[in-house]
Amino acid sequence: VEDDHATLSTVESVNVTTTAETVSPPDTTSPCHTTGVLNVSCNVGGQTLTDLIEVGEGGSLGNAILTHQLTNHGWVSNLTIKSQGIINGGIITGIITNEGTLKDFEFRGLSITGGTLAGTITNTSQIGGYFRDVHLAPNTHIKGGKLAGKIRGDHHAPAWLEDMEINAKSQIEGVIIGEGV
């Protein structure tokens, strides 16, 4: 029995180590191009992007301002999403300031503040990641993490929340409270 426990502890340790490595900032020494498809790690240092249309499976984008639609198959982190900006898919991490829309993604970061969340969202943050002051598009499904501030869903097609915490003094409307909330 002790050997089985030691094996389980090792697996947990590997998972924690892997998570810690994957949320580290993008390598700023990698060559960056901001048009077409990005397949490397790229920190653009606060630059506004207007031509990048996709982050590939091997790509990561950090510290950018997004003003248009971006398909994400990799990682994006520490972004400002302007009102016309849309990110669809992939893994989102870091601190996100959102005036646009984030759709169908996995969240592993600290916070997403503002904007609209849509589709299916899984919050697997290991650091208490939360969504604050967000609008939930019709029929959005969020699993995991935390909600804070004013959360507004659609009364005719409410968002579905499950396995999460809602911070004290938050205002929630237009949602269905599911299991584990």
Side-chain angles (χ1 to χ4, degrees), residues 36-90:
V37 179
L38 180 67
N39 284 309
V40 298
S41 292
C42 183
N43 179 335
V44 298
Q47 193 177 338
T48 298
L49 302 181
T50 57
D51 297 324
L52 184 65
I53 58 169
E54 184 175 340
V55 175
E57 286 183 29
S60 67
L61 173 66
N63 298 307
I65 299 169
L66 186 70
T67 61
H68 63 288
Q69 184 165 341
L70 176 74
T71 300
N72 179 26
H73 300 288
W75 290 69
V76 296
S77 64
N78 301 320
L79 302 180
T80 298
I81 315 302
K82 294 298 186 179
S83 61
Q84 299 301 312
I86 299 170
I87 295 179
N88 188 11

Side-chain angles (χ1 to χ4, degrees), residues 77-120:
S77 64
N78 301 320
L79 302 180
T80 298
I81 315 302
K82 294 298 186 179
S83 61
Q84 299 301 312
I86 299 170
I87 295 179
N88 188 11
I91 297 170
I92 298 176
T93 188
I95 298 172
I96 307 296
T97 303
N98 183 27
E99 298 171 7
T101 301
L102 306 175
K103 181 178 180 183
D104 294 324
F105 62 94
E106 179 180 349
F107 185 66
R108 296 187 187 175
L110 180 59
S111 66
I112 294 176
T113 302
T116 299
L117 304 181
T120 301

